[in-house]
Amino acid sequence: MANPIAGPEIERLIQLLARLPGLGPRSARRAALHLLRKREELLAPLADAMAVAREKIVICEVCGNADTCQPCTICRDPSRDPGLLIVVETVGDLWALERAAAVRAKYHVLGGTLSPLDGVGPKELNLSSLVARCVEDGVTEVILAVNATVDGQTTAHYVTDLQSHRGIKTTRLAHGVPVGGELDYLDEGTLAAALRSRTDF
Amino acid sequence: MANPIAGPEIERLIQLLARLPGLGPRSARRAALHLLRKREELLAPLADAMAVAREKIVICEVCGNADTCQPCTICRDPSRDPGLLIVVETVGDLWALERAAAVRAKYHVLGGTLSPLDGVGPKELNLSSLVARCVEDGVTEVILAVNATVDGQTTAHYVTDLQSHRGIKTTRLAHGVPVGGELDYLDEGTLAAALRSRTDF
């Protein structure tokens, strides 16, 4: 134990905080001390919020989103086009696209990417429910919003092959220059893609 | 609200996590998603550990340390020299010195440094109890283990003045080259101090 003098309760809090992404042993210690200093303003509400999250938040059986209702708010939303389905890897990607607020579509969270080396095959992802949804909901367009990584693109090709015989239009996110980005800092692949997909000004 | 679609419970969890030192809005979102993914392995134990910490951990009335007993484990420890008192700014500094395990002394946590511009005067720090302890416990040496910052050194001088008429020996941590440190990366002040305080080899 690195810090036995602080007592097992504090030590346990530090060890658990250190397992959060972005926190290591040292920053977890700082976070624990901060929590102990701000006991009523931060420690108490955070403990309550975690207990509430643990109890109330469920994974939507339709799309895989995390929410407090089943099915989730997005799946229940009648103002969204049920024919337009955005396929994402994770709930975090879904949230990122919702913040962009560009399309009133529904989502399907795969829960990862195909990665044979890590033992992630088609059965480990939400793929069979995706096929079922496309048929039941009369989906006309699937937007593949997977990451532009090798695993992401492999998964995108697999999803496309699944849908190919159903005549459902499949699209992917555009490649190009990030808004506000500087050309000098971009890689050649992105610049080449941005040139190939140039639009009228 | 930056992320209304995730529901108020998740949003509240993210906002509270973002108030931890070392986490911003984006990393708090990642941490919240990680917690939801690892519900039973991490979210549940962390919520419990926080509830335990909130309930059980108290600030020692003698020295200002955080522990589950009153007075704290260090203050109760009969194997420590009661005549040797290390004055630190924060509980984090106390833990850091305990990890070094170099001296079996007792501690006194000031709770910060004198900082008139921030409205921190002598009354905001644990100074009166320090004076009382020095008399009651028969302290023979006070080690000033405050940070080597302007505010830390101001506080060190103030503490020295408080004790000066009592004939208690007051020492401070040595300045010098950090163990494992490279000279080329050190500032001139540290190198000058290391040269002045050179020791026989």
Side-chain angles (χ1 to χ4, degrees):
Chain A
M1 220 154 65
N3 184 27
I5 208 65
E9 292 84 359
I10 300 183
E11 187 56 29
R12 180 159 170 75
L13 179 62
I14 294 172
Q15 281 179 352
L16 288 167
L17 284 171
R19 286 170 54 192
L20 289 176
L23 288 183
R26 188 174 287 264
S27 47
R29 248 185 336 250
R30 279 183 59 216
L33 279 167
H34 188 76
L35 284 170
L36 292 176
R37 265 198 304 273
K38 309 253 174 192
R39 195 176 300 215
E40 293 312 313
E41 308 97 292
L42 187 55
L43 176 57
L46 188 54
D48 293 345
M50 285 184 176
V52 168
R54 177 192 179 188
E55 197 183 317
K56 287 201 179 172
I57 293 166
V58 290
I59 299 302
C60 176
E61 284 169 5
V62 178
C63 75
N65 188 16
D67 205 338
T68 46
C69 47
Q70 184 71 272
C72 74
T73 317
I74 294 179
C75 285
R76 287 166 182 233
D77 185 350
S79 75
R80 286 167 189 267
D81 181 356
L84 189 57
L85 195 66
I86 305 182
V87 174
V88 292
E89 292 177 19
T90 65
V91 176
D93 296 337
L94 186 160
W95 291 357
L97 289 167
E98 275 299 300
R99 284 198 297 280
V103 184
R104 300 287 293 170
K106 301 215 169 180
Y107 289 90
H108 194 84
V109 181
L110 293 177
T113 48
L114 292 176
S115 179
L117 287 177
D118 300 325
V120 182
K123 283 185 183 158
E124 275 70 47
L125 302 181
N126 274 340
L127 281 168
S128 58
S129 60
L130 172 62
V131 174
R133 268 186 93 178
C134 287
V135 177
E136 286 165 21
D137 297 0
V139 170
T140 53
E141 178 178 351
V142 168
I143 305 178
L144 296 167
V146 291
N147 291 329
T149 55
V150 172
D151 282 350
Q153 295 308 305
T154 309
T155 312
H157 282 293
Y158 189 89
V159 172
T160 313
D161 289 347
L162 274 185
Q163 312 286 0
S164 59
H165 60 285
R166 289 175 209 280
I168 298 174
K169 185 178 165 191
T170 309
T171 54
R172 65 158 176 81
L173 297 183
H175 287 310
V177 180
V179 175
E182 293 184 52
L183 298 194
D184 198 18
Y185 290 96
L186 282 174
D187 64 295
E188 294 76 10
T190 304
L191 286 173
L195 273 172
R196 277 196 303 273
S197 309
R198 64 192 177 278
T199 54
D200 286 329
F201 187 69
Chain B
M1 219 152 68
N3 185 26
I5 209 64
E9 291 85 359
I10 300 182
E11 186 58 27
R12 181 160 170 74
L13 179 63
I14 294 171
Q15 282 180 352
L16 288 167
L17 285 170
R19 286 170 54 193
L20 289 177
L23 289 182
R26 188 174 289 263
S27 46
R29 247 182 340 249
R30 278 183 60 216
L33 279 167
H34 188 76
L35 284 169
L36 291 176
R37 265 198 304 271
K38 309 253 173 191
R39 196 175 302 214
E40 293 312 314
E41 307 98 294
L42 186 56
L43 177 57
L46 188 53
D48 293 344
M50 284 184 176
V52 168
R54 178 192 178 189
E55 197 184 316
K56 287 202 181 172
I57 292 164
V58 290
I59 299 302
C60 176
E61 284 168 5
V62 178
C63 74
N65 188 16
D67 205 338
T68 45
C69 47
Q70 182 71 272
C72 75
T73 315
I74 294 179
C75 285
R76 288 167 181 232
D77 185 350
S79 75
R80 285 168 190 266
D81 181 356
L84 190 56
L85 195 65
I86 304 183
V87 174
V88 293
E89 292 177 19
T90 65
V91 175
D93 296 337
L94 187 162
W95 291 357
L97 288 168
E98 275 299 300
R99 283 198 298 279
V103 183
R104 299 287 294 169
K106 300 215 169 180
Y107 290 89
H108 194 84
V109 181
L110 294 177
T113 48
L114 292 176
S115 181
L117 288 177
D118 300 326
V120 182
K123 283 185 182 159
E124 274 71 47
L125 303 181
N126 274 339
L127 282 168
S128 57
S129 59
L130 173 61
V131 174
R133 270 184 92 179
C134 287
V135 176
E136 286 164 21
D137 297 359
V139 170
T140 52
E141 179 177 351
V142 168
I143 304 178
L144 295 167
V146 291
N147 291 330
T149 56
V150 172
D151 283 350
Q153 294 310 305
T154 309
T155 311
H157 282 293
Y158 189 89
V159 172
T160 313
D161 289 346
L162 273 184
Q163 313 285 1
S164 58
H165 60 285
R166 291 174 208 279
I168 298 173
K169 186 176 164 190
T170 309
T171 54
R172 64 158 176 79
L173 297 183
H175 288 309
V177 180
V179 175
E182 294 185 50
L183 298 195
D184 198 18
Y185 290 96
L186 282 175
D187 62 294
E188 293 79 9
T190 303
L191 286 174
L195 274 172
R196 278 196 302 272
S197 309
R198 63 194 178 276
T199 55
D200 286 330
F201 187 71

